[in-house]
């Protein structure tokens, strides 16, 4: 293929326009057409052929690569048809890949085309290709990271400006970091899709997102942020996947998304604002961390265009380009339930300011075999109620749930928040 690489773009929002702008300097790549929802909407770029029908792009025989930056799972049928018509796919759609990646990758393998998705996980941070190439000699035991810039921005501002969650969310929305409906970000869905994709390529297993434990940041208060800081921690929304030896099996994966207290001694604790980070642990590399912008017009466009150029460099030389991107595994991972995991915990407890209350907390922990590494009474309020902070040693999630239930039955104590410790 010595002529121009011809592409069709589905979606011309912030990222799509960034892709068009970056591609404008490449004379050997031609944008044949773009599919958009609103033909009359004013945009920062001009594209000669606009259509409301994405199927036109999937069917167009002149198009070599379909670039999908529209988002959502409704595009599945379009991309499936594009693959059947032997078109390569570049996508930034993490939800689509997390929910329907198995179908798309099987279809791509059958039709001898590539699906590249560097932008789907960490925006402008290169992570997919490094795992598949430079780091391919490693046997990984874990992958974890800050995979959502909106939540990291909110938690950073809560810490630095001592504002409430709601105030920082409003600030993020005003700056365009958070959507009008921020549910996908603040409840952990976005990070869940991304860790599912990462776990898939790191452990060569298909992932059932319905079995990923997910918890957002809406219950984190400025009080928790301040106390964590005093104890030497920062609170981050962490998405993680790690391999466990459990129940005589060595192929068990613990995949989850939830807030964590992260020691200030850990490099990932220093990742601020909308920046993302991915931490890989394995042999022989040990630990390696990637950081950078996880979203935005040009950072995401950087990854999308990088994938386009990767296909361009290969398509002239071989019939089936980029064999390393072909998904050969078809088995689903054995994913452990959160109740069976082992963690350290931070508890913030509201209790009567009276003799014996700390002793009752100790008794409740002992009842379920939980050792306390730290317990302190912080203050008391006008209602003569005290704030008691507890950090535990490692214990089973199920035992911690039982301890909390036991404390909630005691009218003198109320567990206000529980956060796991990284």
């Amino acid at each position: 293929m010595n002529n121009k690489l011809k592409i069709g773009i589905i979606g011309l929002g912030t990222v799509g326009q960034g892709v068009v702008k970056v591609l404008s300097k490449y004379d050997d790549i031609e944008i044949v057409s773009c599919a958009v929802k609103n033909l009359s909407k004013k945009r920062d770029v001009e594209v000669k052929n606009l259509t409301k029908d994405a199927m036109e792009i999937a069917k167009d025989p002149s198009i070599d690569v379909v670039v999908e930056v529209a988002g959502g799972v409704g595009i599945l049928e379009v991309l499936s048809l594009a693959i059947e018509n032997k078109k390569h796919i570049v996508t930034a759609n993490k939800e689509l890949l997390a929910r329907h990646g198995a179908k798309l990758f099987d279809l791509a393998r059958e039709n001898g085309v590539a699906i590249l998705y560097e932008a789907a996980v960490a925006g402008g941070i290169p992570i997919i290709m490094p795992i598949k190439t430079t780091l391919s000699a490693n046997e990984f035991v874990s992958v974890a990271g800050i995979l959502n810039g909106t939540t990291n921005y909110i938690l950073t501002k809560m810490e630095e400006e001592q504002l409430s969650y709601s105030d920082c969310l409003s600030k993020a929305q005003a700056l365009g970091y958070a959507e009008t409906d921020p549910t996908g970000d603040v409840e952990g869905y976005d990070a869940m899709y991304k860790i599912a994709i990462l776990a898939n390529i790191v452990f060569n297993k298909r992932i059932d997102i319905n079995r990923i434990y997910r918890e957002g940041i809406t219950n984190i208060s400025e009080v928790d942020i301040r106390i964590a800081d005093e104890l030497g921690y920062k609170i981050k929304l962490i998405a993680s996947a790690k391999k466990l030896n459990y129940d005589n099996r060595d192929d068990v994966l613990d995949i989850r998304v939830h807030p964590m207290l992260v020691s200030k001694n850990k490099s990932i604790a220093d990742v601020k604002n909308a920046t993302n980070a991915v931490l890989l642990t394995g042999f022989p590399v040990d630990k390696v961390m990637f950081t950078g912008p996880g979203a935005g017009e040009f950072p995401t466009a950087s990854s999308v265009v990088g994938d386009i150029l990767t296909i361009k460099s290969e398509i002239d030389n071989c019939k089936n380009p980029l064999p390393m991107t072909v998904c050969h595994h078809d088995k689903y991972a054995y994913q452990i339930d959160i109740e069976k995991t082992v963690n350290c915990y931070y508890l913030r407890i509201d209790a009567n300011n009276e003799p014996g209350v700390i002793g009752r907390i100790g008794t409740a922990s002992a009842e379920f075999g939980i050792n306390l590494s730290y317990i302190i009474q912080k203050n008391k309020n006008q209602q003569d109620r005290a704030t008691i902070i507890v950090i535990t040693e490692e214990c089973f999630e199920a035992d911690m749930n039982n301890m909390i239930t036991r404390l909630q039955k005691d009218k003198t104590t109320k567990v206000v928040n529980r956060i796991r410790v990284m």
Side-chain angles (χ1 to χ4, degrees), residues 227-369:
I227 293 173
D229 180 66
E230 293 173 1
L231 297 177
Y233 296 94
K234 295 187 178 182
I235 298 178
K236 301 290 184 181
L237 183 71
I238 300 293
S240 68
K242 60 183 177 180
K243 187 182 293 186
L244 301 178
N245 288 312
Y246 180 83
D247 198 21
N248 295 319
R249 301 182 61 142
D250 61 0
D251 61 346
V252 178
L253 296 185
D254 172 12
I255 311 177
R256 64 200 43 203
V257 176
H258 53 67
M260 298 194 82
L261 265 68
V262 181
S263 170
K264 293 179 183 179
N265 295 327
K266 296 181 182 291
S267 55
I268 201 168
D270 293 327
V271 177
K272 297 182 178 181
N273 297 313
T275 302
N276 282 194
V278 180
L279 176 64
L280 289 159
T281 305
F283 178 81
V285 76
D286 194 17
K287 288 180 172 27
V288 59
M289 189 168 80
F290 298 74
T291 63
E297 179 181 9
F298 289 115
T300 308
S302 169
S303 291
V304 171
V305 175
D307 282 346
I308 295 170
L309 295 177
T310 299
I311 292 174
K312 177 72 172 66
S313 68
E314 291 279 313
I315 205 169
D316 284 335
N317 302 319
C318 54
K319 182 178 179 181
N320 296 322
L322 301 163
M324 73 183 71
T325 67
V326 177
C327 177
H328 294 288
H329 56 270
D330 56 9
K331 292 183 179 180
Y332 277 83
Y334 183 98
Q335 293 169 237
I336 194 171
D337 293 333
I338 188 70
E339 289 82 6
K340 297 176 182 178
T341 64
V342 173
N343 310 276
C344 297
Y345 297 87
Y346 156 99
L347 300 178
R348 176 161 60 91
I349 301 170
D350 180 61
N352 286 351
N353 181 39
E354 62 184 28
V357 67
I358 290 181
R360 289 196 291 274
I361 293 172
T363 298
S365 66
E367 182 178 344
F368 299 102

